[in-house]
Amino acid sequence: MDSRRLRILESVLALFPESSPPVTRVGIELECFVDPAAGGRYGWDDHLALQERLRRGLPSLTPTVHSLGLEPGGQWELRSVALDGAEGLRAFARDARRIEQSLRDEGCRVAFQGIRPGGTTGRVISPDRRAHLLRDYLQQRSRSAAEMMADTAACQLTLDPTPWTDALELLRAVVRLRDDLERRWNPWRSGPSRREIWAQVDPERCVPPRGMSEGTWSDEACLDHVLSRPSIVAAAADGRLIPFEGSFYDAVAALPVGDDLAACFGRFMKHIYYPVKPRVMPELRLLDSREPERLAELEHLLAGLGLPGWCSGARRPAVLSTP
């Protein structure tokens, strides 16, 4: 590795804490599909207008919901505040259910599941430039790009800042337990699963290499592999988003925009889709969206992954085991 790449790699490693207390908090991004109950479909602006109406009436009734957002494929995303322990999970489940009921009162159909019900009906893609650049890039690799972006929904978990070594260990635990985790959480449905759709689109972004997942590579080699993936999108000197298939190393060197390295790394990691996104605040990505009342079960899932803050005596024993 040349000296320039080594300096960049060391600078990215320095973004991660050297140590951290046991993880006791989790943030949830719960996605769902929202469509008119009477049939038809909402356009992008219809989704935005509906979210704005809910924001005016719900905040005081749903304190654990930090924000409502739209994914690039039009999926709704309910983002939680930092939730502490099992009681936090239950509180967010109650608030998510209130939002679901408010949507039904507005005449909407709401589906918390991994694959869009009804096929491509209701599919919509964000007019945002980043979304279009991403879709154009992924469509060169698979005809499933639009299906991945618009027809899948997840329950994603974000943890507190974590050392790089610990983020990798979490990734390895999830890879080892993946089949068991998905069997317990993701219901069986006919047709391709969300996992299969994502893997078809771009395996290099969705499936970590064996050296990383089996622990035979060094921590530095794992990070170097991640930083060597194509960027897809970068910011030009004037701030415009442009297609850019160079690596993170290239983007940092060739396209400075005045951002610090943390901002550049955060932007780059948006397009890495491993079952655990190994960023400063790791994100578990393998779970399908599920009904809000199922969220309390995440306590067992987090304990089963060996996270110390969820394995204390105050918590019930883990229900997951290595196959």
Side-chain angles (χ1 to χ4, degrees):
M1 181 183 300
D2 64 44
S3 59
R4 181 184 69 87
R5 287 171 67 100
L6 181 59
R7 285 196 303 272
I8 294 172
L9 186 144
E10 290 174 343
S11 296
V12 173
L13 275 176
L15 299 174
F16 291 79
E18 293 184 3
S19 62
S20 63
V23 172
T24 60
R25 302 189 307 170
V26 63
I28 299 178
E29 296 177 1
L30 181 63
E31 299 172 358
C32 63
F33 301 102
V34 177
D35 296 291
R41 53 171 288 181
Y42 288 133
W44 188 260
D45 290 341
D46 298 318
H47 283 293
L48 292 177
L50 183 53
Q51 288 195 348
E52 183 58 32
R53 289 203 298 276
L54 291 186
R55 288 191 192 99
R56 290 197 296 267
L58 281 175
S60 62
L61 301 176
T62 56
T64 66
V65 178
H66 178 268
S67 62
L68 298 175
L70 283 178
E71 286 290 288
Q75 306 93 324
W76 280 49
E77 183 179 72
L78 283 60
R79 304 186 188 107
S80 79
V81 299
L83 306 170
D84 198 351
E87 182 51 43
L89 295 175
R90 288 191 288 270
F92 180 65
R94 290 191 295 270
D95 289 349
R97 182 59 77 192
R98 290 189 183 104
I99 289 176
E100 179 185 7
Q101 186 56 53
S102 294
L103 285 167
R104 296 190 189 283
D105 292 344
E106 288 270 353
C108 300
R109 289 180 290 117
V110 185
F112 291 93
Q113 59 188 60
I115 302 294
R116 179 183 294 279
T120 61
T121 302
R123 179 187 287 179
V124 59
I125 298 293
S126 167
D128 179 75
R129 179 164 172 76
R130 179 186 294 277
H132 281 271
L133 291 175
L134 176 61
R135 182 177 179 179
D136 290 346
Y137 174 88
L138 294 176
Q139 280 183 326
Q140 298 172 26
R141 285 148 182 79
S142 170
R143 288 179 294 179
S144 299
E147 188 178 9
M148 177 274 280
M149 292 180 68
D151 299 340
T152 64
C155 175
Q156 296 171 179
L157 312 181
T158 299
L159 307 180
D160 282 334
T162 301
W164 173 249
T165 297
D166 293 353
L168 289 177
E169 286 303 316
L170 178 61
L171 169 64
R172 290 164 189 150
V174 167
V175 170
R176 286 196 309 271
L177 294 166
R178 182 166 192 166
D179 290 343
D180 197 27
L181 288 165
E182 292 185 332
R183 183 168 57 251
R184 293 175 182 274
W185 180 266
N186 298 343
W188 180 87
R189 300 182 188 278
S190 60
S193 67
R194 174 175 160 270
R195 172 182 178 178
E196 291 167 341
I197 291 171
W198 279 72
Q200 289 171 9
V201 171
D202 196 338
E204 282 200 14
R205 294 181 182 281
C206 300
V207 182
R210 290 183 61 182
M212 181 182 293
S213 60
E214 295 179 358
T216 58
W217 290 0
S218 68
D219 290 355
E220 292 77 9
C222 292
L223 182 56
D224 179 60
H225 177 83
V226 172
L227 299 182
S228 298
R229 301 308 91 206
S231 297
I232 302 182
V233 177
D238 60 4
R240 291 181 303 110
L241 294 178
I242 60 173
F244 187 79
E245 296 191 21
S247 69
F248 178 80
Y249 298 111
D250 299 325
V252 171
L255 297 169
V257 293
D259 291 339
D260 60 21
L261 199 60
C264 295
F265 182 62
R267 190 161 48 236
F268 174 79
M269 290 299 289
K270 286 180 179 291
H271 302 144
I272 299 295
Y273 307 121
Y274 296 161
V276 172
K277 183 175 289 193
R279 59 186 191 185
V280 176
M281 298 178 70
E283 180 183 78
L284 280 71
R285 302 181 49 83
L286 79 161
L287 303 178
D288 285 5
S289 175
R290 294 304 307 271
E291 303 83 356
E293 56 265 24
R294 294 289 304 275
L295 296 178
E297 298 173 29
L298 293 174
E299 177 189 6
H300 299 300
L301 183 148
L302 293 166
L305 291 174
L307 295 174
W310 293 83
C311 296
S312 67
R315 306 199 190 283
R316 289 171 287 182
V319 297
L320 298 175
S321 58
T322 305

